[in-house]
Amino acid sequence: MLKRSFKIFFLTLLLISCKKEKTVTVPDWKITEEFYINALENAILYADSIRMTGINGEKTKYYFSNLRKEFKKAEPFASYINPEVGHRVNGPALPVFKEDNQKTLSPVGLQKLEESIYEGGVTADEFIRELNITTGMLTVLQKGMKKRNLNPQRFFVATHQQLLRIIAFSISGFDTPVSHLCIDEINVSLDGLAEVYRRSVQSMVQVNKDDLDSQFMNQIEAAKLFVSNNNDFENFDRYRFIREFMNPITRSWVEIRKTTDIWNGSEDFPFNFDAPTFFEDDSFNLKYFTANTNKNPTQIQIELGKKLFFEPKLSANAKMSCASCHIPEKGYADGRVFNVGNKGLELQRNTPTLLNVAFQKNFFWDGRAADLLDQISAVFLNEDEFNTSVHEFSLEILDDSIYKASFEKAFGSVPNNNLNTIKAISSYVSTLNNFDSKFDKNMKGEEDTFTKEEIQGFNLFMGKALCATCHFIPLTNGTVPPFYSETEKEVIGVPETAANTAIDEDYGFYWKFNEATHKGMFKTPGIRNINETAPYMHNGVYQTLEEVINFYNLGGGGGLGFELPHQTLPFDKLDLSDDEQKALVAFMKTLSGSRIVDTY
């Protein structure tokens, strides 16, 4: 009996000893950092190979394909460290206007190289110039990575951003619009994810939650197998890929970050890092998109803003409120081509929806307001709208004792100007967010109710129809992932009438700099609840979604024959069949959420 007790005691000590040996160690971030730096070094070497080969031939395409693959491995950390250069390296092949010196830079970067290699149209000297500039930018990124060491925050944020790039850029063709190498590059990003995981936090996860480690690695392999077996760009099933493969990977990644407990997220970024997918109602951090002076509104301020939103006494003639143009029952648009101002005259442009408007970085069709506060201030100042100074206040409002008490509770005093009024309205408008649509519920797997036509429409939206290269998912607006620091403005050539015979004379953003590339440029709007917000475009020219899709199918204004040297979407026809156009409309109708009626 004594011997048996001694054996049990000895085995217990042995087990305790083994457990102690299996300790959690903080990753050596240098090992992971080396992976990114070496990949970028390889990308630069492939650029050198292209330089020796020249613009023509299959070898050039081979080297370019490998250059892109190496860049995709390095992209998470490289672009995190230097977002501006990272986006320029892998951004659209379009001129870049620098507002600080008002100079327009010629298109450069990987997408411009792709255009030159696969479509031609440039001389050998021009191509070498493009290649040299791109190589120079890659070198800048490499130097940046060597100067700023990898740490837990940079690692987890950069990886989160790359997961979003896969579903927003890779599967949509944004990265490689000509060659469509982007589908194969999904597996490059997934391999990179697996490799940096192995080099960094895998041992921590194995100690704390071994089943999560195996689950995560199996999910990556399953996603890669799906891509390998379905790598045709037009027929790639993006709907299934996101739901069945990317969402599980993202859920596991969120759990891995929590399990390691070495970085717990931050409000300095666009994401809620605890959201299990990019399609939750709280996937995005509203504070990131909000002006610094209005980041933490109280519920009392929001309620006051809601009441003020419907208050006509804010306008000089006491007849016009925010809700005069942004009608809740009409998706916070107004259903008219142009609304009528306080003088009885039509306003200049169509009223856009306010749903999800807070997740933008520019406001008004011409992008002239930097944030919601500026946008609302402009309405107060506009002589055709409220026609009241920001520094004035309607004393009639304070005749209402409820208003008087509300202002005192919300801001600590009775106002003598409209500054707090504007803050309150902005706080309320920032709550008008719709993430409970059929689209959201199906994408995150909460329900499985998409019809075959709606699935086809989503896959077209994300692929052949090119919609998602401007209306980025999951927000479906023009605010560019994964940094969300700018909202795109585009030149698409909108006609003046639905007859499509002449271009509209409204020049949009051109007013600011009188820059030729801006002529006819307008902000890319959000398209949530688009089925309720007709008519469409800045001038309300189209009454139906079918007309809108037909316009894009014809190649925009350029495809209609208008003189548009700086059009930012392809002039070529999309060649969508009638059934494909119907499927697109069916999908777009799934973007309608329940947040439509909200009256006072």
Side-chain angles (χ1 to χ4, degrees):
M1 189 71 177
L2 187 61
K3 285 183 180 179
R4 188 180 172 201
S5 298
F6 179 79
K7 283 180 181 178
I8 292 171
F9 177 72
F10 178 79
L11 287 171
T12 303
L13 282 177
L14 188 63
L15 287 171
I16 292 170
S17 174
C18 289
K19 271 191 173 181
K20 283 184 178 178
E21 284 180 15
K22 201 174 184 182
T23 56
V24 178
T25 56
V26 177
D28 180 356
W29 293 108
K30 276 290 178 187
I31 298 172
T32 312
E33 189 180 300
E34 284 170 4
F35 171 79
Y36 295 126
I37 292 173
N38 290 341
L40 205 54
E41 179 63 36
N42 291 337
I44 292 169
L45 290 174
Y46 278 118
D48 292 340
S49 297
I50 293 173
R51 189 175 294 103
M52 289 186 288
T53 306
I55 191 171
N56 297 313
E58 289 304 310
K59 268 193 174 180
T60 302
K61 291 181 180 178
Y62 169 79
Y63 291 139
F64 175 74
S65 171
N66 282 287
L67 190 167
R68 280 203 54 85
K69 287 177 181 177
E70 294 299 325
F71 175 77
K72 292 303 288 185
K73 294 176 188 176
E75 185 176 35
F77 187 38
S79 292
Y80 174 91
I81 292 298
N82 196 329
E84 183 179 356
V85 175
H87 184 65
R88 189 109 161 89
V89 167
N90 200 29
L94 296 170
V96 174
F97 181 77
K98 306 294 288 183
E99 293 194 7
D100 53 354
N101 57 18
Q102 298 186 31
K103 289 184 178 180
T104 300
L105 306 178
S106 299
V108 291
L110 295 178
Q111 291 191 32
K112 182 63 183 77
L113 288 177
E114 176 197 38
E115 201 174 82
S116 300
I117 292 168
Y118 285 82
E119 294 185 336
V122 297
T123 67
D125 287 344
E126 288 171 335
F127 177 69
I128 293 300
R129 175 188 167 276
E130 294 172 3
L131 183 63
N132 288 341
I133 293 174
T134 303
T135 306
M137 291 191 294
L138 292 172
T139 304
V140 168
L141 291 177
Q142 188 185 53
K143 289 178 180 177
M145 288 196 295
K146 288 178 177 178
K147 283 182 180 178
R148 297 177 66 189
N149 296 332
L150 192 64
N151 59 31
Q153 174 177 299
R154 290 169 183 169
F155 174 69
F156 281 110
V157 175
T159 305
H160 210 80
Q161 290 171 344
Q162 197 70 3
L163 288 170
L164 181 58
R165 285 190 186 98
I166 292 173
I167 65 171
F169 291 164
S170 293
I171 67 175
S172 70
F174 178 88
D175 273 349
T176 55
V178 180
S179 66
H180 291 156
L181 293 168
C182 49
I183 299 299
D184 287 333
E185 289 175 1
I186 294 170
N187 280 355
V188 176
S189 292
L190 291 173
D191 276 331
L193 172 61
E195 182 59 30
V196 296
Y197 170 65
R198 279 190 287 263
R199 288 172 177 241
S200 59
V201 297
Q202 185 178 38
S203 62
M204 300 178 73
V205 178
Q206 287 172 331
V207 168
N208 295 320
K209 208 170 183 181
D210 192 50
D211 57 334
L212 176 59
D213 169 63
S214 57
Q215 172 183 287
F216 181 59
M217 297 303 285
N218 289 338
Q219 287 166 342
I220 290 175
E221 289 305 313
K224 286 168 53 184
L225 182 62
F226 179 82
V227 173
S228 297
N229 293 332
N230 303 273
N231 64 353
D232 177 67
F233 179 79
E234 283 199 9
N235 296 311
F236 187 74
D237 192 341
R238 293 149 174 93
Y239 179 76
R240 186 180 169 201
F241 178 67
I242 291 174
R243 277 171 50 101
E244 296 182 20
F245 299 99
M246 283 308 300
N247 281 351
I249 288 172
T250 306
R251 290 187 185 101
S252 293
W253 185 250
V254 169
E255 286 304 309
I256 284 169
R257 181 188 57 76
K258 292 178 180 177
T259 297
T260 61
D261 196 29
I262 54 176
W263 185 70
N264 294 316
S266 167
E267 292 185 347
D268 296 331
F269 298 96
F271 311 108
N272 169 15
F273 291 97
D274 288 338
T277 76
F278 291 107
F279 299 92
E280 313 299 321
D281 58 4
D282 64 346
S283 291
F284 292 89
N285 173 21
L286 187 59
K287 288 183 181 180
Y288 170 84
F289 295 89
T290 306
N292 288 330
T293 54
N294 204 36
K295 273 193 186 299
N296 296 293
T298 64
Q299 190 57 40
I300 293 172
Q301 290 169 346
I302 292 169
E303 285 298 319
L304 173 59
K306 179 178 179 179
K307 186 171 172 63
L308 291 165
F309 184 87
F310 295 92
E311 180 55 72
K313 291 178 184 177
L314 289 177
S315 60
N317 64 4
K319 293 180 180 179
M320 192 176 196
S321 71
C322 302
S324 299
C325 297
H326 299 285
I327 304 168
E329 295 86 348
K330 295 183 182 294
Y332 290 87
D334 58 26
R336 306 179 64 161
V337 174
F338 301 109
N339 210 307
V340 175
N342 60 40
K343 298 178 181 177
L345 302 173
E346 286 188 334
L347 299 176
Q348 184 182 2
R349 295 178 182 133
N350 177 254
T351 302
T353 179
L354 292 183
L355 293 170
N356 291 20
V357 73
F359 298 98
Q360 298 181 38
K361 288 293 184 178
N362 297 108
F363 297 82
F364 291 112
W365 278 104
D366 57 14
R368 66 184 182 273
D371 54 47
L372 262 178
L373 295 174
D374 287 345
Q375 188 269 335
I376 296 167
S377 297
V379 172
F380 274 79
L381 294 169
N382 190 334
E383 62 180 20
D384 293 322
E385 294 181 284
F386 284 9
N387 194 28
T388 56
S389 168
V390 173
H391 299 290
E392 295 175 3
F393 187 79
S394 173
L395 295 178
E396 291 179 27
I397 287 178
L398 295 184
D399 290 340
D400 184 335
S401 60
I402 295 177
Y403 267 129
K404 190 172 182 179
S406 295
F407 271 106
E408 288 177 339
K409 285 182 181 178
F411 296 105
S413 63
V414 175
N416 56 15
N417 60 48
N418 281 317
L419 294 176
N420 284 337
T421 301
I422 290 165
K423 281 187 179 182
I425 295 172
S426 172
S427 299
Y428 167 65
V429 171
S430 293
T431 70
L432 302 178
N433 302 322
N434 251 349
F435 293 108
D436 69 344
S437 67
K438 185 177 183 179
F439 163 70
D440 297 298
K441 291 174 182 177
N442 276 269
M443 293 312 298
K444 63 188 172 187
E446 188 175 295
E447 62 185 40
D448 190 11
T449 57
F450 259 30
T451 65
K452 287 183 179 179
E453 186 178 44
E454 289 164 348
I455 292 172
Q456 180 191 17
F458 174 75
N459 285 329
L460 287 164
F461 185 92
M462 292 295 297
K464 181 181 177 181
L466 304 179
C467 310
T469 59
C470 293
H471 299 279
F472 304 104
I473 66 158
L475 294 176
T476 66
N477 64 17
T479 312
V480 186
F483 304 112
Y484 293 99
S485 58
E486 63 169 323
T487 298
E488 280 191 346
K489 295 180 282 290
E490 305 278 355
V491 178
I492 63 173
V494 175
E496 64 179 1
T497 71
N500 292 339
T501 55
I503 194 167
D504 187 72
E505 293 183 357
D506 188 339
Y507 286 172
F509 186 62
Y510 180 77
W511 69 272
K512 189 167 185 179
F513 299 105
N514 293 327
E515 164 63 32
T517 57
H518 295 162
K519 193 170 285 187
M521 179 174 278
F522 294 91
K523 184 188 73 175
T524 300
I527 57 172
R528 293 297 181 128
N529 285 80
I530 194 168
N531 194 44
E532 290 79 38
T533 58
Y536 307 106
M537 306 300 190
H538 70 272
N539 57 357
V541 64
Y542 296 129
Q543 291 292 326
T544 68
L545 287 173
E546 287 79 5
E547 289 177 302
V548 174
I549 290 169
N550 178 61
F551 167 77
Y552 286 108
N553 192 38
L554 294 172
L560 293 172
F562 304 154
E563 185 65 30
L564 275 172
H566 303 296
Q567 181 167 304
T568 56
L569 58 92
F571 293 359
D572 301 336
K573 294 181 179 180
L574 295 173
D575 289 325
L576 299 171
S577 68
D578 289 343
D579 285 344
E580 287 175 328
Q581 292 181 61
K582 288 177 184 176
L584 265 177
V585 172
F587 162 67
M588 292 169 79
K589 289 180 179 179
T590 71
L591 294 169
S592 292
S594 64
R595 183 65 179 272
I596 297 177
V597 179
D598 194 358
T599 56
Y600 224 91

